[in-house]
Amino acid sequence: MSHPHPDLSAPAPLQAGGLRVIPLGGLGEVGRNMTAFEYDGRLLLVDCGVLFPEDHHPGVDLILPDFEPIRERLDAVEALVLTHGHEDHIGATPYLLRERGDIPLVGSKLTLALLGSKLREHRLRETAQYEVAEGQTITFGPFVLEFVAVNHSIPDALAVVIRTGAGVVLHTGDFKMDQLPLDGRITDLNEFARLGDEGVDLFLTDSTNAEVPGFTTSEKDISPVLEGVFAKSDQRIIVACFASHVHRVQQVLDVAVAHGRKVGYVGRSMVRNMAIAQELGYLTVPPGVMVEAKELADLPPERQVLISTGSQGEPLSALSRIAQRSHSFVHLEEGDTVVLASSLIPGNENAVYRVINGLSRLGANVVHKGNALVHVSGHASAGELLYCYNIVKPRNVMPVHGEFRHMRANADLARATGVQNVVVAEDGVVVDLVDGIAKIVGKVEVGYVFVDGTTIGDISEASMKDRRILGEEGFLSVIVVVDSVTGKVVSGPEIHARGFAEEEATFDEIRQPIIDAINSAVADGANDSYQLQQTVRRVVGRWVNRAHRRRPMIVPVVIEA
Ligand SMILES: [Zn+2]
């Protein structure tokens, strides 16, 4: 098995007839999935998603894949293939299109519809779109694409086959193998087998659940649990789930109808996505069941169901507002039931538990995946991946979509089935498929691109570190005025603190040492304010660390007057 190596250098130019794979995001993290394939000087992109920030990204709205390795070659991009409509696969597309607006977009009907509403929100013109379905073939430059149905936690997901002179690549996208999905559309193992017979040279597979033994539970198994929750409740029920989980919403609708309840959506993305899903026929809404969420409150509580966003504890979401009693029209009553029918994405735990606590404090019965089967994963577990490897019999495997541990577990599964060559790469690690063998050939720089308010990519990892220091340690400013001729301190030091000891007296013991340090620096020949500022920073830094065991951000300002 090949490992990424920290001292990899930039790859040599791609050999003629070879296919290059450049992961720009999603390998080493759960989110911002994006892969570039290069053949004969042309590029094909698969997915362009966002990563949601965690607690250690204060103030960041979104994290994008890094387009830098392909930025100079955007003209060579033949198409962007979107495997399904989840944010971590389509969410960064508007940002890519701002750099080149006419990249052809390829995806299934639902994927393109969800993307379309996103592009309109970003006020981007809709570019050439190629709607594809399973079994279809379409060619872009040297890339001959074919699509295979896969089952996932959103309808209409596709795996993509990429045929070039270098061989056959099969990219699963996100998938699982639910044998009894609500829409009857299973992962097409017949097609996987046929491709296996033809010969798959490189198989890129979803690693998210590779550490989970066995098989992912069927979506349908949630229904009886919801049924039980509804049967027990004689007040209002609020169900929070992902705004793209059409089948989860379908199950809630069906149970609500069975119990004579009416349903309203809360949360902008829920309203928007479910309208799209209903219009395109992916969601079947029984007549008379839907009510405007605001009007739902006119009904008796035992006839109300709200389907809401905010299952990940997003602070501005409908559910968070409800938990904080700040939602404009949903006011929780003691004895109401709240169901969090969703996963707990790593990094969101604190936020989710905060919401659960807030709801519990208001007297709600909270049902979540920790105490009931109200969520199943959208990803293939180890057992399903083993089936895939045995059916596809690929020559080379490259695990994708997941943290390193997930990709590593996925690699072990592939090897256990006898796959000879397994390549574990991370973002930026370049893999070439040449003469039927996939190999790591180098590395390109791939960083985190932060979207922060209206700026994209202006916030660096260094400023993120500053924000963490500000958040955890606070801030100290020291202002000193020195005589421009003698270097003597004529005013100050004036010390201001935020998020640190704010008592004036705290700083009394350090004022004189600052003056002494400046005087001795001047005596040693320091003659500009930059040098004196460094002196102040050192003295104050040592003192804070010794006397307070803290490392606040220190901003020294020395003014020559
Ligand atoms: Zn997905």
Side-chain angles (χ1 to χ4, degrees), residues 358-417:
L359 296 165
S360 305
R361 202 173 288 128
L362 296 176
N365 307 311
V366 186
V367 182
H368 55 93
K369 68 172 280 213
N371 60 20
L373 180 68
V374 288
H375 172 72
V376 299
S377 169
H379 302 270
S381 300
E384 289 149 87
L385 291 166
L386 289 171
Y387 263 83
C388 282
Y389 292 130
N390 283 328
I391 289 169
V392 175
K393 303 183 294 284
R395 294 197 182 92
N396 303 272
V397 163
M398 180 172 167
V400 294
H401 305 344
E403 296 175 12
F404 202 88
R405 62 195 170 101
H406 304 135
M407 297 194 296
R408 180 65 205 264
N410 195 358
D412 289 343
L413 294 171
R415 281 194 306 167
T417 66

Coordinates of all heavy atoms in Angstrom, one line a residue, residues 358-417:
G358 N -31.4 23.1 25.7 CA -32.3 24.2 25.6 C -33.7 23.7 25.5 O -34.6 24.2 26.2
L359 N -33.9 22.7 24.6 CA -35.3 22.2 24.4 C -35.8 21.5 25.6 O -36.9 21.6 26.0 CB -35.3 21.2 23.2 CG -34.9 21.8 21.8 CD1 -34.6 20.7 20.8 CD2 -36.1 22.7 21.3
S360 N -34.9 20.7 26.3 CA -35.2 19.9 27.5 C -35.6 20.9 28.6 O -36.6 20.7 29.3 CB -34.1 19.1 27.9 OG -33.6 18.2 26.9
R361 N -34.9 22.0 28.7 CA -35.1 23.0 29.7 C -36.5 23.6 29.6 O -37.2 23.9 30.5 CB -34.1 24.1 29.7 CG -33.9 24.9 31.0 CD -32.8 25.8 30.8 NE -31.5 25.2 30.9 CZ -30.5 25.4 30.0 NH1 -30.7 26.2 29.0 NH2 -29.4 24.7 30.1
L362 N -37.0 23.7 28.3 CA -38.3 24.2 28.1 C -39.4 23.1 28.3 O -40.6 23.4 28.0 CB -38.4 24.7 26.6 CG -37.5 25.9 26.3 CD1 -37.6 26.3 24.9 CD2 -37.9 27.1 27.2
G363 N -39.0 21.9 28.6 CA -39.9 20.9 29.0 C -40.3 19.9 27.8 O -41.2 19.1 27.9
A364 N -39.5 20.0 26.7 CA -39.8 19.1 25.6 C -39.2 17.7 25.8 O -38.2 17.6 26.5 CB -39.2 19.7 24.3
N365 N -39.9 16.7 25.2 CA -39.3 15.4 25.2 C -38.5 15.3 23.9 O -39.0 15.5 22.8 CB -40.4 14.3 25.1 CG -41.5 14.5 26.1 OD1 -41.2 14.6 27.3 ND2 -42.7 14.6 25.7
V366 N -37.2 15.1 24.1 CA -36.3 15.2 22.9 C -35.9 13.7 22.6 O -35.3 13.0 23.4 CB -35.0 16.0 23.2 CG1 -34.2 16.1 21.9 CG2 -35.4 17.4 23.7
V367 N -36.2 13.4 21.3 CA -35.9 12.0 20.8 C -34.7 12.3 19.8 O -34.9 13.1 18.9 CB -37.1 11.4 20.1 CG1 -36.7 10.0 19.6 CG2 -38.3 11.4 21.0
H368 N -33.6 11.6 20.0 CA -32.5 11.7 19.1 C -31.8 10.4 18.9 O -32.2 9.4 19.5 CB -31.5 12.8 19.6 CG -31.0 12.6 20.9 ND1 -29.9 11.9 21.2 CD2 -31.6 12.9 22.1 CE1 -29.7 11.9 22.5 NE2 -30.7 12.5 23.1
K369 N -30.8 10.4 18.0 CA -30.2 9.1 17.6 C -29.5 8.4 18.8 O -29.3 7.2 18.8 CB -29.2 9.2 16.5 CG -28.0 10.0 16.7 CD -27.0 9.9 15.6 CE -26.3 8.6 15.6 NZ -24.9 8.8 15.1
G370 N -29.3 9.2 19.9 CA -28.7 8.6 21.1 C -29.7 7.8 21.9 O -29.3 7.0 22.7
N371 N -31.0 8.1 21.7 CA -32.0 7.3 22.5 C -33.0 6.6 21.7 O -33.9 6.0 22.3 CB -32.6 8.2 23.6 CG -33.3 9.5 23.0 OD1 -33.7 9.5 21.9 ND2 -33.5 10.5 23.8
A372 N -33.0 6.7 20.4 CA -33.9 6.0 19.5 C -33.4 5.9 18.1 O -32.6 6.7 17.7 CB -35.3 6.7 19.5
L373 N -33.9 4.9 17.3 CA -33.4 4.7 16.0 C -34.2 5.7 15.1 O -35.1 5.4 14.3 CB -33.6 3.3 15.5 CG -33.2 3.0 14.0 CD1 -31.7 3.1 13.9 CD2 -33.7 1.7 13.5
V374 N -33.8 7.0 15.2 CA -34.4 8.0 14.3 C -33.5 8.5 13.2 O -33.8 9.5 12.6 CB -35.0 9.2 15.2 CG1 -36.2 8.8 16.0 CG2 -33.9 9.7 16.1
H375 N -32.4 7.9 13.1 CA -31.5 8.2 12.0 C -30.7 7.0 11.5 O -30.3 6.2 12.3 CB -30.4 9.3 12.5 CG -29.4 9.5 11.4 ND1 -29.7 10.2 10.3 CD2 -28.1 9.2 11.4 CE1 -28.6 10.3 9.5 NE2 -27.6 9.6 10.2
V376 N -30.5 6.8 10.2 CA -29.6 5.9 9.7 C -28.6 6.6 8.8 O -29.0 7.6 8.2 CB -30.3 4.7 8.9 CG1 -31.2 3.9 9.9 CG2 -31.0 5.2 7.7
S377 N -27.4 6.1 8.6 CA -26.4 6.8 7.8 C -26.7 6.7 6.3 O -27.5 5.8 5.9 CB -25.1 6.1 8.1 OG -24.1 6.6 7.2
G378 N -26.2 7.6 5.6 CA -26.3 7.5 4.1 C -25.1 6.8 3.4 O -25.1 6.9 2.2
H379 N -24.2 6.3 4.2 CA -23.0 5.7 3.6 C -22.9 4.2 3.9 O -23.3 3.7 4.9 CB -21.8 6.5 4.2 CG -21.9 7.9 4.0 ND1 -21.3 8.5 2.9 CD2 -22.4 8.9 4.7 CE1 -21.5 9.8 2.9 NE2 -22.2 10.1 4.0
A380 N -22.2 3.6 2.9 CA -22.0 2.1 3.0 C -21.1 1.8 4.2 O -20.0 2.4 4.4 CB -21.3 1.7 1.7
S381 N -21.5 0.8 4.9 CA -20.6 0.3 6.0 C -19.6 -0.7 5.4 O -19.7 -1.1 4.2 CB -21.5 -0.4 7.1 OG -22.3 0.6 7.7
A382 N -18.8 -1.3 6.3 CA -17.7 -2.2 5.8 C -18.2 -3.3 5.0 O -17.6 -3.7 4.0 CB -16.9 -2.7 7.1
G383 N -19.3 -3.9 5.5 CA -19.8 -5.1 4.7 C -20.2 -4.8 3.3 O -19.9 -5.5 2.4
E384 N -20.8 -3.6 3.1 CA -21.2 -3.2 1.8 C -20.0 -2.9 0.9 O -20.0 -3.2 -0.3 CB -22.1 -1.9 1.9 CG -23.5 -2.2 2.5 CD -24.0 -1.0 3.3 OE1 -24.7 -0.2 2.7 OE2 -23.8 -1.0 4.5
L385 N -19.0 -2.3 1.5 CA -17.8 -2.0 0.7 C -17.1 -3.3 0.3 O -16.7 -3.4 -0.9 CB -16.8 -1.2 1.6 CG -17.3 0.3 1.8 CD1 -16.5 0.9 2.9 CD2 -17.2 1.1 0.5
L386 N -17.1 -4.3 1.2 CA -16.5 -5.6 0.8 C -17.3 -6.2 -0.4 O -16.6 -6.7 -1.4 CB -16.6 -6.6 2.0 CG -15.6 -6.3 3.1 CD1 -15.9 -7.2 4.3 CD2 -14.2 -6.4 2.7
Y387 N -18.6 -6.2 -0.4 CA -19.4 -6.6 -1.5 C -18.9 -5.9 -2.8 O -18.7 -6.5 -3.8 CB -20.9 -6.3 -1.3 CG -21.7 -7.5 -0.8 CD1 -21.7 -7.7 0.6 CD2 -22.4 -8.3 -1.6 CE1 -22.5 -8.8 1.1 CE2 -23.2 -9.3 -1.1 CZ -23.2 -9.6 0.2 OH -23.9 -10.6 0.7
C388 N -18.8 -4.6 -2.7 CA -18.4 -3.8 -3.9 C -17.1 -4.3 -4.4 O -16.9 -4.4 -5.6 CB -18.4 -2.4 -3.5 SG -20.0 -1.7 -3.5
Y389 N -16.1 -4.4 -3.6 CA -14.8 -4.8 -4.0 C -14.8 -6.2 -4.7 O -14.2 -6.4 -5.7 CB -13.8 -4.8 -2.9 CG -13.5 -3.4 -2.4 CD1 -13.5 -3.1 -1.0 CD2 -13.2 -2.4 -3.3 CE1 -13.3 -1.8 -0.6 CE2 -12.9 -1.1 -2.9 CZ -13.0 -0.8 -1.5 OH -12.8 0.5 -1.1
N390 N -15.6 -7.1 -4.1 CA -15.7 -8.5 -4.7 C -16.4 -8.4 -6.0 O -16.2 -9.2 -6.9 CB -16.4 -9.4 -3.7 CG -15.4 -9.8 -2.6 OD1 -14.2 -9.9 -2.8 ND2 -15.9 -10.1 -1.4
I391 N -17.4 -7.5 -6.2 CA -18.2 -7.5 -7.4 C -17.4 -6.8 -8.5 O -17.4 -7.2 -9.6 CB -19.5 -6.8 -7.1 CG1 -20.4 -7.7 -6.3 CG2 -20.2 -6.4 -8.4 CD1 -21.7 -7.1 -5.8
V392 N -16.8 -5.7 -8.1 CA -16.1 -4.8 -9.1 C -14.7 -5.4 -9.5 O -14.2 -5.2 -10.6 CB -16.0 -3.4 -8.7 CG1 -15.2 -2.5 -9.6 CG2 -17.4 -2.8 -8.5
K393 N -14.1 -6.1 -8.6 CA -12.7 -6.6 -8.8 C -11.7 -5.6 -9.4 O -11.2 -5.9 -10.5 CB -12.8 -7.9 -9.6 CG -13.7 -9.0 -9.1 CD -13.7 -10.2 -9.9 CE -14.3 -10.1 -11.3 NZ -15.7 -10.1 -11.3
P394 N -11.6 -4.5 -8.8 CA -10.8 -3.4 -9.4 C -9.3 -3.7 -9.4 O -8.8 -4.5 -8.5 CB -11.1 -2.2 -8.6 CG -11.4 -2.7 -7.2 CD -12.1 -4.0 -7.5
R395 N -8.5 -3.2 -10.3 CA -7.1 -3.3 -10.3 C -6.4 -2.4 -9.3 O -5.5 -2.8 -8.6 CB -6.5 -3.0 -11.7 CG -6.9 -3.9 -12.7 CD -6.1 -3.9 -14.0 NE -6.7 -4.8 -14.9 CZ -7.6 -4.5 -15.9 NH1 -7.9 -3.2 -16.0 NH2 -8.1 -5.4 -16.7
N396 N -7.0 -1.2 -9.2 CA -6.4 -0.2 -8.2 C -7.6 0.4 -7.4 O -8.7 0.6 -8.0 CB -5.7 0.9 -8.9 CG -4.6 0.4 -9.8 OD1 -3.4 0.2 -9.3 ND2 -4.9 0.1 -11.0
V397 N -7.4 0.6 -6.2 CA -8.4 1.3 -5.3 C -7.8 2.6 -4.7 O -6.7 2.6 -4.3 CB -9.0 0.3 -4.2 CG1 -9.7 1.1 -3.2 CG2 -9.9 -0.7 -4.9
M398 N -8.6 3.6 -4.7 CA -8.3 4.9 -4.1 C -9.4 5.3 -3.2 O -10.5 5.7 -3.7 CB -8.0 5.9 -5.1 CG -7.5 7.2 -4.6 SD -7.0 8.3 -5.9 CE -7.0 9.9 -5.1
P399 N -9.3 5.1 -1.8 CA -10.4 5.5 -1.0 C -10.5 7.1 -1.0 O -9.6 7.8 -1.0 CB -9.9 5.1 0.4 CG -8.8 4.1 0.2 CD -8.2 4.5 -1.1
V400 N -11.8 7.5 -1.0 CA -12.1 9.0 -1.0 C -13.1 9.2 0.0 O -13.7 8.3 0.7 CB -12.6 9.5 -2.4 CG1 -11.5 9.4 -3.4 CG2 -13.8 8.7 -2.9
H401 N -13.5 10.5 0.2 CA -14.5 11.0 1.2 C -14.3 10.4 2.6 O -14.9 9.4 3.0 CB -15.9 10.5 0.7 CG -16.3 10.9 -0.7 ND1 -15.6 11.9 -1.4 CD2 -17.3 10.5 -1.5 CE1 -16.2 12.1 -2.5 NE2 -17.1 11.2 -2.7
G402 N -13.5 11.1 3.4 CA -13.4 10.7 4.8 C -12.2 11.3 5.4 O -11.3 11.8 4.7
E403 N -12.2 11.2 6.7 CA -10.9 11.5 7.5 C -9.9 10.4 7.2 O -10.3 9.3 6.7 CB -11.3 11.6 9.0 CG -12.2 12.7 9.3 CD -12.6 12.7 10.7 OE1 -12.0 12.0 11.6 OE2 -13.6 13.4 11.1
F404 N -8.7 10.6 7.6 CA -7.7 9.6 7.2 C -8.0 8.3 7.8 O -7.8 7.3 7.1 CB -6.3 10.1 7.7 CG -5.2 9.4 7.0 CD1 -4.7 10.0 5.8 CD2 -4.7 8.2 7.4 CE1 -3.7 9.3 5.0 CE2 -3.7 7.6 6.6 CZ -3.2 8.1 5.5
R405 N -8.5 8.2 9.0 CA -8.8 6.9 9.6 C -9.9 6.1 8.8 O -9.8 4.9 8.6 CB -9.3 7.0 11.1 CG -10.5 7.8 11.2 CD -10.8 8.3 12.7 NE -11.9 9.2 12.8 CZ -13.1 8.9 13.2 NH1 -13.4 7.6 13.5 NH2 -14.0 9.8 13.2
H406 N -10.8 6.9 8.2 CA -11.8 6.2 7.4 C -11.2 5.7 6.1 O -11.5 4.6 5.7 CB -12.9 7.2 7.0 CG -13.6 7.9 8.2 ND1 -13.9 9.3 8.2 CD2 -14.1 7.4 9.4 CE1 -14.4 9.6 9.4 NE2 -14.6 8.5 10.1
M407 N -10.3 6.5 5.5 CA -9.7 6.0 4.2 C -8.8 4.8 4.5 O -8.7 3.9 3.7 CB -8.9 7.2 3.6 CG -9.8 8.4 3.2 SD -9.0 9.5 2.1 CE -7.7 10.1 3.2
R408 N -8.1 4.9 5.6 CA -7.3 3.8 6.0 C -8.1 2.5 6.2 O -7.7 1.4 5.7 CB -6.5 4.2 7.3 CG -5.6 3.2 7.8 CD -4.4 2.9 6.9 NE -3.9 1.6 7.1 CZ -2.8 1.4 7.8 NH1 -2.2 2.4 8.4 NH2 -2.3 0.2 8.0
A409 N -9.2 2.6 6.9 CA -10.1 1.4 7.1 C -10.6 0.9 5.8 O -10.6 -0.3 5.6 CB -11.2 1.8 8.0
N410 N -10.9 1.8 4.9 CA -11.4 1.4 3.6 C -10.4 0.7 2.8 O -10.6 -0.3 2.1 CB -11.9 2.7 2.9 CG -12.8 2.4 1.7 OD1 -13.0 1.2 1.3 ND2 -13.3 3.4 1.0
A411 N -9.1 1.2 2.9 CA -8.0 0.6 2.2 C -7.8 -0.9 2.7 O -7.6 -1.8 1.9 CB -6.7 1.4 2.4
D412 N -7.9 -1.1 4.0 CA -7.8 -2.4 4.6 C -8.8 -3.4 4.0 O -8.6 -4.5 3.7 CB -7.9 -2.4 6.1 CG -6.6 -1.7 6.7 OD1 -5.6 -1.6 6.0 OD2 -6.7 -1.3 7.9
L413 N -10.1 -2.8 3.9 CA -11.2 -3.7 3.3 C -10.8 -4.1 1.9 O -11.0 -5.2 1.5 CB -12.5 -2.9 3.3 CG -13.0 -2.5 4.7 CD1 -14.2 -1.6 4.6 CD2 -13.5 -3.8 5.5
A414 N -10.3 -3.1 1.1 CA -10.0 -3.4 -0.3 C -8.9 -4.5 -0.4 O -9.1 -5.5 -1.1 CB -9.6 -2.2 -1.0
R415 N -7.9 -4.3 0.4 CA -6.8 -5.3 0.4 C -7.3 -6.7 0.9 O -6.9 -7.7 0.4 CB -5.7 -4.8 1.3 CG -4.8 -3.8 0.6 CD -3.5 -3.6 1.3 NE -3.8 -3.3 2.7 CZ -2.9 -3.3 3.7 NH1 -1.7 -3.6 3.4 NH2 -3.3 -3.0 4.9
A416 N -8.2 -6.7 1.9 CA -8.7 -8.0 2.4 C -9.4 -8.8 1.3 O -9.4 -10.0 1.3 CB -9.7 -7.7 3.6
T417 N -10.0 -8.1 0.3 CA -10.7 -8.8 -0.8 C -9.7 -9.2 -1.9 O -10.1 -9.7 -2.9 CB -11.8 -8.0 -1.4 OG1 -11.2 -6.8 -2.1 CG2 -12.8 -7.5 -0.4

